[in-house]
């Protein structure tokens, strides 16, 4: 577990120079916010690991069994990736970065914490995972409604997608991995397309059609896919997750998740 913590710390330290490379007050502020958040989460992980080792005498991350330790580690990893209600740093940080670094933050930086969440998910309290999942989906849907900044929109999109991944983790980890893969592909498409067009606001996209019709079509399809509109790829994981939730006798949870997907879809359509 000490090595897992060290890996997360190296991961954080490596992206900080990339975030601060623009000598701009907003970039510096975003870097500082990110650093403080990640350092807090890493400290919580180390604290929980030590507590588990002290009470159970075991340092292995797969064997983490003390209820307080598993809850603390789960919350710390949720803070690291920006799950609601620990999501407040994510839109602010993403807004202060350029699109390339934003892409790294939204995709690559999620992999290490997710690998750890997958390993400890079987010992985690199911109610905690469900609460994090539902809250993230709702916050991701609501938060993006009044945004005009594309980076903030993509940040709320990230929170909503992470909610979908977390809610199915305890029942079918393979679906979480499928959702993560599709999310990373779609988000990469979005960030790279926006980078080529140099757009960071919704109104700049309104003028894009005469200039680059092909790229604008690609952006439209990627956004609708992120929203989970059939027959696009992004519909598949949502459908499978809702099906699995229904199988697990969680109809109310499935309904809330489906409704929150409609909220997300509304701001994507805009």
């Amino acid at each position: 577990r000490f090595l897992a913590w060290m890996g997360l710390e190296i991961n954080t330290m490596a992206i900080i120079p990339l975030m601060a490379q623009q000598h701009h007050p907003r970039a510096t502020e975003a870097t500082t916010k990110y650093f403080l958040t990640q350092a807090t989460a890493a400290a919580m992980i180390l604290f929980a690991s030590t507590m588990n080792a002290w009470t159970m005498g075991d340092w292995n991350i797969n064997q983490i069994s003390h209820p307080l330790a598993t809850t603390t580690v789960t919350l710390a990893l949720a803070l690291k990736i920006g799950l609601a209600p620990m999501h407040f740093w994510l839109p602010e940080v993403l807004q202060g970065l350029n699109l390339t670094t934003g892409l790294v933050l939204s995709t690559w930086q999620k992999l290490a914490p997710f690998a750890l969440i997958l390993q400890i998910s079987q010992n985690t309290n199911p109610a905690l995972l469900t609460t994090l999942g539902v809250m993230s989906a709702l916050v991701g849907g609501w938060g993006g409604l009044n945004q005009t900044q594309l980076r903030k929109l993509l940040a709320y999109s990230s929170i909503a997608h992470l909610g979908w991944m977390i809610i199915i983790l305890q029942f079918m980890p393979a679906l979480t991995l499928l959702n993560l893969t599709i999310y990373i592909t779609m988000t990469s498409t979005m960030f790279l397309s926006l980078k080529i067009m140099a757009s960071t606001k919704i109104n700049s996209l309104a003028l894009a059609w005469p200039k680059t019709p092909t790229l604008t079509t690609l952006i439209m399809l990627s956004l609708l896919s992120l929203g989970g509109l059939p027959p696009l790829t992004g519909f598949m994981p949502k459908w499978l997750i809702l099906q699995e939730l229904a199988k697990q006798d969680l109809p109310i949870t499935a309904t809330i998740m489906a409704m929150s997907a409609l909220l997300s879809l509304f701001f994507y359509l805009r």
Side-chain angles (χ1 to χ4, degrees):
R1 205 166 309 132
F2 183 72
L3 287 173
W5 167 79
M6 203 156 60
L8 290 170
E9 283 293 276
I10 293 167
N11 190 19
T12 304
M13 291 302 168
I15 197 175
I16 280 176
L18 290 174
M19 294 169 85
Q21 66 185 347
Q22 295 171 286
H23 298 295
H24 187 277
R26 188 165 279 175
T28 312
E29 183 191 347
T31 310
T32 311
K33 281 180 180 171
Y34 182 76
F35 173 72
L36 291 173
T37 310
Q38 300 296 311
T40 308
M44 280 170 71
I45 290 168
L46 204 55
F47 168 69
S49 308
T50 312
M51 185 166 61
N52 191 69
W54 189 29
T55 49
M56 300 294 179
D58 197 356
W59 278 100
N60 192 341
I61 201 146
N62 294 328
Q63 307 301 324
I64 187 164
S65 49
H66 193 276
L68 190 57
T70 46
T71 306
T72 311
V73 169
T74 309
L75 289 174
L77 290 167
L79 177 63
K80 263 200 172 294
I81 55 177
L83 279 168
M86 286 82 75
H87 65 282
F88 294 99
W89 62 273
L90 184 58
E92 304 292 325
V93 168
L94 206 56
Q95 184 56 35
L97 304 178
N98 63 20
L99 289 164
T100 318
T101 318
L103 168 65
V104 176
L105 185 72
S106 300
T107 55
W108 183 253
Q109 292 298 102
K110 303 263 188 272
L111 295 179
F114 242 102
L116 296 178
I117 289 175
L118 271 168
Q119 287 180 60
I120 63 163
S121 62
Q122 299 313 313
N123 300 328
T124 310
N125 181 358
L128 175 67
L129 290 175
T130 307
T131 309
L132 286 172
V134 171
M135 280 188 77
S136 298
L138 287 170
V139 165
W142 257 310
L145 288 179
N146 59 350
Q147 298 299 335
T148 55
Q149 298 283 351
L150 289 169
R151 283 166 295 184
K152 277 196 174 175
L153 238 157
L154 285 164
Y156 282 109
S157 151
S158 166
I159 295 165
H161 277 88
L162 291 170
W164 281 87
M165 291 175 219
I166 285 294
I167 200 139
I168 202 64
L169 188 60
Q170 54 199 320
F171 307 120
M172 253 185 123
L175 269 183
T176 299
L177 288 172
L178 173 73
N179 204 333
L180 184 64
T181 312
I182 289 175
Y183 164 73
I184 286 176
T185 312
M186 296 299 164
T187 305
S188 305
T189 310
M190 272 306 299
F191 271 103
L192 294 170
S193 307
L194 293 173
K195 185 177 161 54
I196 294 168
M197 292 171 71
S199 346
T200 55
K201 289 193 176 72
I202 285 186
N203 56 9
S204 64
L205 285 181
L207 311 168
W209 182 253
K211 289 187 283 186
T212 51
T214 320
L215 201 54
T216 313
T217 312
L218 182 68
I219 285 181
M220 186 188 78
L221 288 172
S222 305
L223 274 175
L224 293 180
S225 187
L226 274 170
L229 200 69
L232 300 164
T233 321
F235 174 60
M236 178 177 59
K238 283 191 168 61
W239 186 24
L240 293 170
I241 287 171
L242 288 173
Q243 194 181 357
E244 187 60 35
L245 286 173
K247 271 187 201 165
Q248 299 287 344
D249 280 339
L250 293 168
I252 297 168
T253 311
T255 310
I256 295 170
M257 294 301 282
M259 293 299 176
S260 69
L262 290 178
L263 283 171
S264 294
L265 189 61
F266 177 77
F267 70 71
Y268 290 128
L269 283 169
R270 241 176 64 214

